[in-house]
Amino acid sequence: MYTIRQYLLALLDTRGLTRTLGEIDVCRDAQGRPCFSAGNSAAVFRIRLGGRIRSLRCYLRPMRHLKEIYGQRLLEKELYLHTSPETGVWVDTVVGDWIEGSTLHETVAQAAALRDRECLQILVRLFDRLALALVTDDRAHGDLKPENIIVGDDGTLCPIDFDASYLPAFAGEISPELGTAAYQHPARTAADFDERIDDYPAALISTALHALAADPTLWDRYGSTDGLLYAPQRIAADPAYRETLALFERRGMAVQYRIAQLLAAPTLRLFGLAELLAEAVREKPAARNGTETETPELFVENGRWGYRTAERVVVAPLYDSGFDFTEGLAAVQLGGTWHYIDTAGRTLLSCPGCAAVKPFRGGKAQVVHDGERQEIVHPLKTPRYQ
């Protein structure tokens, strides 16, 4: 085991203490303090090397598979640490590019506090694309969390800290770490070490980001420094989780509702997550309000309702019930709430509190609200329920 103090003593005067890097200049903040961050297994220093700002990852304890994970970025036995006035040891380091920006956690907290929905919506889209790439890959990050994702100054999301990564070459081994508890399935053990270990944190982070983009005040009630909104260890009873499900149901956010439901799954491998994320990032075409040459028809898959033509699925099977399209809209039920969607799957009209609804005919539809039969107008004319 090594200490940050040992690394600071070496890095603040590296003459004769590196094998290939030469002298290293550790960057300092406005108060003159060395710039670094410390995690469970390593400290990362911001350094100036060869005229460039780089990152230097220094390990506080032995780590396995660094060569397989980092490749040429790993410098074996590169830095000499004094373990006593007379003795020392050569230790491995990892040199990489320094990414200017803030962590996703910091960016989300700031945007939510400022009620910056536009920023949160951008982060949602960026993260869902990243999550889809992660859960469909044959490798995994292993400790996916907002603190391990940098929102770059160029507007990109950059994962960092790959020490707990899974690669196909590690099949059959046990996990070196269990990830951060605030983002991991409570049933995860060291035996869970494969390409699916990012499923749960990807679903949890996506759910939290969509919830905050829809209602940033959730951060005031449930945001924390340890996690975003939810406590996986008690997810079914978590008030933030329950409020999120109700929010998604009320607004007709069907994809997000189904991803959120996966967080209560008994296993950390989430069936259907990749397909849901693919639907989340899919660009929806403009609906043509009933002028399509072929009206999508209802179909059922795994107990849920969607719509398709002879050529393709146009609305994924996400709903608990549904009616046929009439006048370019279909009534669908998500949880206990009815909505009207267009042929691209966009929710155009929501009917919270309605016990029953009927399809549109002649620009109007019948609904039962608070025990009374009411008439509503086509939303492209005068929407009545928001």
Side-chain angles (χ1 to χ4, degrees), residues 69 89 110 120 131 162 168 217 240 244 268 287 334 353:
I69 294 171
V89 61
Q110 182 179 35
L120 290 166
F162 296 93
T217 66
T244 294
L268 54 88
L334 184 67

Side-chain angles (χ1 to χ4, degrees), residues 249-253 319 329-333 337-342 345-352 354 357-360 363-367 375-386:
E249 178 187 319
R250 185 171 66 251
R251 297 201 177 188
M253 299 169 64
Y319 298 98
L329 298 179
V332 293
Q333 188 177 33
T337 303
W338 284 96
H339 307 271
Y340 289 89
I341 62 172
D342 65 16
R346 284 181 287 260
T347 299
L348 296 191
L349 178 63
S350 296
C351 305
C354 288
V357 301
K358 293 293 184 180
F360 276 94
K364 296 180 181 180
Q366 298 290 322
V367 303
E375 190 174 71
I376 60 174
V377 179
H378 197 290
L380 296 182
K381 298 178 182 179
T382 310
R384 205 173 143 183
Y385 291 98
Q386 301 294 332

Side-chain angles (χ1 to χ4, degrees), residues 2-15:
Y2 310 116
T3 67
I4 293 176
R5 182 175 182 275
Q6 287 174 316
Y7 278 110
L8 284 170
L9 288 174
L11 292 172
L12 294 179
D13 184 4
T14 56
R15 287 175 295 181

Side-chain angles (χ1 to χ4, degrees), residues 139-215:
R139 59 186 65 198
H141 183 281
D143 189 17
L144 186 63
K145 60 181 179 180
E147 292 84 350
N148 280 342
I149 300 172
I150 301 296
V151 183
D153 289 347
D154 60 356
T156 59
L157 296 188
C158 303
I160 60 172
D161 186 358
F162 296 93
D163 293 344
S165 292
Y166 170 82
L167 304 179
F170 306 159
E173 298 187 20
I174 63 171
S175 178
E177 299 180 17
L178 296 183
T180 302
Y183 298 96
Q184 296 293 326
H185 194 287
R188 183 179 174 185
T189 68
D192 298 301
F193 193 44
D194 58 24
E195 70 278 6
R196 302 299 300 278
I197 55 177
D198 287 341
D199 280 16
Y200 195 85
L204 187 146
I205 298 168
S206 176
T207 297
L209 293 180
H210 278 282
L212 288 168
D215 182 6

Side-chain angles (χ1 to χ4, degrees), residues 38-225:
N40 179 48
S41 61
V44 180
F45 293 84
R46 188 174 189 263
I47 64 172
R48 186 175 288 104
L49 186 66
R52 294 176 55 192
I53 301 299
R54 308 296 300 274
S55 68
L56 185 71
R57 190 169 187 82
C58 301
Y59 290 92
L60 306 177
R61 57 187 173 86
M63 298 294 293
R64 70 186 191 195
H65 293 319
L66 295 180
K67 186 66 174 178
E68 293 89 338
I69 294 171
Y70 291 105
Q72 294 182 350
R73 289 182 291 166
L74 174 69
L75 302 180
E76 297 178 285
K77 298 187 179 352
E78 174 62 31
L79 183 65
Y80 188 83
L81 294 186
H82 288 286
T83 54
S84 73
E86 296 81 21
T87 61
V89 61
W90 290 94
V91 297
D92 300 338
T93 63
V94 173
V95 176
D97 294 328
W98 182 266
I99 303 168
E100 295 291 351
S102 303
T103 68
L104 180 59
H105 192 284
E106 293 167 338
T107 308
V108 167
Q110 182 179 35
L114 295 174
R115 307 293 191 260
D116 190 345
R117 286 185 172 86
E118 182 178 358
C119 176
L120 290 166
Q121 289 166 354
I122 292 172
L123 293 174
V124 160
R125 292 193 293 272
L126 291 173
F127 180 78
D128 280 351
R129 292 191 186 102
L130 173 63
L132 177 60
L134 288 171
V135 303
T136 55
D137 200 357
D138 62 356
R139 59 186 65 198
H141 183 281
D143 189 17
L144 186 63
K145 60 181 179 180
E147 292 84 350
N148 280 342
I149 300 172
I150 301 296
V151 183
D153 289 347
D154 60 356
T156 59
L157 296 188
C158 303
I160 60 172
D161 186 358
F162 296 93
D163 293 344
S165 292
Y166 170 82
L167 304 179
F170 306 159
E173 298 187 20
I174 63 171
S175 178
E177 299 180 17
L178 296 183
T180 302
Y183 298 96
Q184 296 293 326
H185 194 287
R188 183 179 174 185
T189 68
D192 298 301
F193 193 44
D194 58 24
E195 70 278 6
R196 302 299 300 278
I197 55 177
D198 287 341
D199 280 16
Y200 195 85
L204 187 146
I205 298 168
S206 176
T207 297
L209 293 180
H210 278 282
L212 288 168
D215 182 6
T217 66
L218 286 166
W219 186 261
D220 299 341
R221 298 190 293 281
Y222 306 113
S224 74
T225 56

Side-chain angles (χ1 to χ4, degrees), residues 264-300:
T267 66
L268 54 88
R269 294 164 182 81
L270 303 184
F271 174 77
L273 176 61
E275 292 77 10
L276 288 168
L277 287 170
E279 183 65 21
V281 303
R282 181 176 67 88
E283 295 291 336
K284 291 182 171 61
R288 291 178 286 177
N289 301 316
T291 64
E292 295 85 354
T293 56
E294 184 179 4
T295 301
E297 296 183 348
L298 278 166
F299 76 100
V300 181

